[in-house]
Amino acid sequence: MNEGPAQQQHQRPRAGSGILLLDKPQGLTSHDAVARTRRLAGTRKVGHAGTLDPMATGLLVLGLNSSTRLLTYLVGLDKEYTATIRLGASTVTDDAEGEITGTAETAHLADEAVEAAIAPLRGDIEQVPSTVSAIKVDGKRAYARAREGEDVQLSARPVRIDAFEVLASRRVDGFLDLDVRVVCTSGTYIRALARDLGAALGVGGHLTALRRTRVGPFAVAHAPELADDLDVGARMLRPADVAGALFPTVRLDADDALALSQGKRIRPDGLPEATGPLAVLTPTGDLLGLAARRGDGLRTLVNFPADEVAAP
């Protein structure tokens, strides 16, 4: 007798510890993606390293089981996006999901004028987040206050825009659409860039499409789509590989590995010259944890215990 999808999913083994790269589809919230991954992986312990709006697509980085401890070190990585900015219309949300609040002619906008307006938005800037952001104001999300009709005023925050370039432009129904590429620090709002570019040109602007293509060293090209038949365990990245992509590594012998796992300070030979965390590996190459140099030795920052994988 053939098994149905429910039986096949029920028999799928519980996923162990690792980092899962997902290509999030449009219309799905990051919370929805986490919930579906929990069902597919057979575990409740799933977290993410930064949300994507429902309108956005692209790379969502999830941690499963003990690898959720790595998410703290992934959240602050730089990010890369492709997006479409529509000049000539402003919206209440600074994206296509909000009500249009004003329009203006764009026929006079030349490429040189657009580039001149983009230039001040590169580098280290102070950015006012979108009113409908998830930033908390007195303990309540800004978007929730805005939906209740409050006049939400958010303070400017420092961000860095390493790249903001126009890939293509086209005229659409009186508007000017720009396909752009943005590389920026964590905490940057691409919707706010669209808004500020439109304001600088005097015509208004908002975001009509957004795709996250990279988080730190991890690219969406290596991320599967979230599907009901996704084998989470087979697609996860090993914690040791992820930590090794972020930090210098040191492999310990069995005695030092045991001592460090017990919270003791150790003095192994050949430590990398690093001021930040080190990825510490066991003799077999598994991730033992993250540690920091203290003089000529190592002190544990966080341990990563191995997760048991349930039998089918």
Side-chain angles (χ1 to χ4, degrees), residues 70-155:
L70 274 174
L71 296 178
T72 298
Y73 302 92
L74 294 166
V75 168
L77 296 175
D78 68 310
K79 297 172 175 65
E80 184 170 344
Y81 298 88
T82 57
T84 300
I85 296 172
R86 171 156 289 185
L87 296 175
S90 301
T91 73
V92 68
T93 58
D94 300 327
D95 63 24
E97 295 186 336
E99 179 182 355
I100 293 177
T101 58
T103 61
E105 291 291 332
T106 62
H108 63 286
L109 292 180
D111 293 344
E112 294 78 12
V114 172
E115 171 57 30
I118 288 177
L121 297 175
R122 298 190 183 106
D124 294 311
I125 65 172
E126 294 285 326
Q127 184 185 70
V128 177
S130 298
T131 301
V132 293
S133 70
I135 293 172
K136 285 189 176 181
V137 179
D138 295 331
K140 193 172 184 179
R141 302 289 185 187
Y143 63 75
R145 292 184 177 276
R147 287 170 183 168
E148 293 173 358
E150 292 188 33
D151 181 19
V152 180
Q153 299 292 329
L154 298 176
S155 300

Side-chain angles (χ1 to χ4, degrees), residues 21 52 74 76 80 104 118 179 184 196 199 236 269 276:
L21 307 181
L52 281 174
L74 294 166
E80 184 170 344
I118 288 177
D179 295 331
C184 56
D196 293 344
M236 286 195 307
D269 295 329

